[in-house]
Amino acid sequence: MPTDEAREAHQRGMDQMGMNQFDPAIASFGLAISRDPAYAEAYLARGVAFAKKQSYRQAIDDFDTAADLQPDLQGLYVRRANAYRALGRLHEAAADYTRALEQSPDNAHYRETREDIYREMECR
């Protein structure tokens, strides 16, 4: 369970992200992480903010840490897959969509997106 300070910083970051204030959000999530280095949701959220800024490598670093801390975190693998895809790392993207489908086997969007990635891989 994250500390109160970590949760407050995380919530502030979520509010900032909702206003498209990505740099302040990244700072708030960083504060949450400094207050509780095992706060997987804060790494996930900061990764999302980095991805919104198209800083995909930084996003993947945070998604990797979140996966190490809490591998069953909802939405993690789809977000990391999208960052991999943006970098052209299609094999990793497809693997993460497979992980996302393991969490949500009935999600047609995940299945279709993974198939799109496979098609992209065939074209290369």
Side-chain angles (χ1 to χ4, degrees), residues 45-56:
R46 189 171 70 177
V48 170
F50 278 128
K52 297 266 188 191
K53 292 182 53 163
Q54 299 180 345
S55 298
Y56 298 114

Side-chain angles (χ1 to χ4, degrees), residues 29-106:
F29 296 133
L31 178 60
I33 290 164
S34 73
R35 298 289 187 245
D36 186 349
Y39 195 0
E41 290 91 346
Y43 286 99
L44 174 62
R46 189 171 70 177
V48 170
F50 278 128
K52 297 266 188 191
K53 292 182 53 163
Q54 299 180 345
S55 298
Y56 298 114
R57 286 181 180 82
Q58 290 172 291
I60 290 169
D61 288 345
D62 276 348
F63 296 148
D64 288 347
T65 302
D68 289 343
L69 292 169
Q70 191 176 338
D72 62 342
L73 193 58
Q74 279 302 116
L76 168 64
Y77 297 111
V78 168
R79 288 179 171 93
R80 189 169 67 180
N82 291 334
Y84 279 135
R85 190 177 188 188
L87 292 174
R89 295 171 59 181
L90 300 180
H91 290 285
E92 291 99 330
D96 270 353
Y97 265 101
T98 297
R99 287 184 189 97
L101 278 164
E102 289 168 1
Q103 288 180 324
S104 302
D106 297 328

Side-chain angles (χ1 to χ4, degrees), residues 90-92 94 116-124:
L90 300 180
H91 290 285
E92 291 99 330
D116 289 344
I117 292 168
Y118 285 147
R119 281 190 288 280
E120 287 178 43
M121 289 168 35
E122 289 172 5
C123 291
R124 286 190 177 187

